[in-house]
Amino acid sequence: MAKNPYINQTRSELFDSAQNRAGKLQDGPHSDTGHLLLAMAMQLHNADMATRGPGGQLKGSGSLSDAYAQRLELLQRNARYEVLRDAADATLGSKATAWLQPGYYDGSPYQQGMVSDAGLLEVLAELELLRKR
């Protein structure tokens, strides 16, 4: 069995590797795999943004709370997205993407679930009603 050359890559490196490999597969007989890699890379892109360290900001006159507040907000938003996406997939299956469509309408489940933990809980309650139908 061949050793997996990607196993120890960071999310940022995986994003780059997936994008590069997808580009090579787009016009060949494995274009479906290329599309899969592109979709997965986009999931990694959001996660990659959250892993960037704000430590460099500390070299200025900023405080720890100033330096890390933005990162905390991004990590919390990414966590809400992961929960929202997983719950929608489990409840709606192939219809989850359309239901979550960002900006589909004002107050969409995506918009509501991403704003705050309270908003996410409201969307989960809505999904629970759909699940019981």
Side-chain angles (χ1 to χ4, degrees), residues 109-125:
Y110 175 85
Q111 290 173 331
Q112 185 179 355
M114 295 302 290
V115 169
S116 67
D117 290 344
L120 175 61
L121 291 175
E122 290 176 18
V123 174
L124 291 176

Side-chain angles (χ1 to χ4, degrees), residues 78-88 120 124:
N78 283 346
R80 285 193 295 271
Y81 175 78
E82 292 297 326
V83 169
L84 181 60
R85 183 75 218 189
D86 190 53
L120 175 61
L124 291 176

Side-chain angles (χ1 to χ4, degrees), residues 4-59:
N4 184 341
Y6 308 105
I7 197 75
N8 293 317
Q9 287 189 336
T10 65
R11 286 181 170 191
S12 179
E13 291 168 337
L14 283 171
F15 173 77
D16 292 338
S17 294
Q19 292 278 43
N20 291 334
R21 185 71 179 132
K24 292 175 185 174
L25 296 172
Q26 287 303 305
D27 295 325
H30 302 290
S31 62
D32 61 327
T33 303
H35 288 129
L36 173 63
L37 286 170
L38 285 175
M40 292 177 72
M42 294 315 298
Q43 294 295 319
L44 291 170
H45 176 68
N46 289 336
D48 172 54
M49 290 174 53
T51 61
R52 292 186 192 140
Q57 294 176 18
L58 294 176
K59 294 178 182 161

Side-chain angles (χ1 to χ4, degrees), residues 88-111:
D89 283 346
T91 304
L92 303 172
S94 63
K95 296 178 183 178
T97 300
W99 190 76
L100 286 173
Q101 188 75 30
Y104 183 69
Y105 58 89
D106 263 356
S108 70
Y110 175 85
Q111 290 173 331

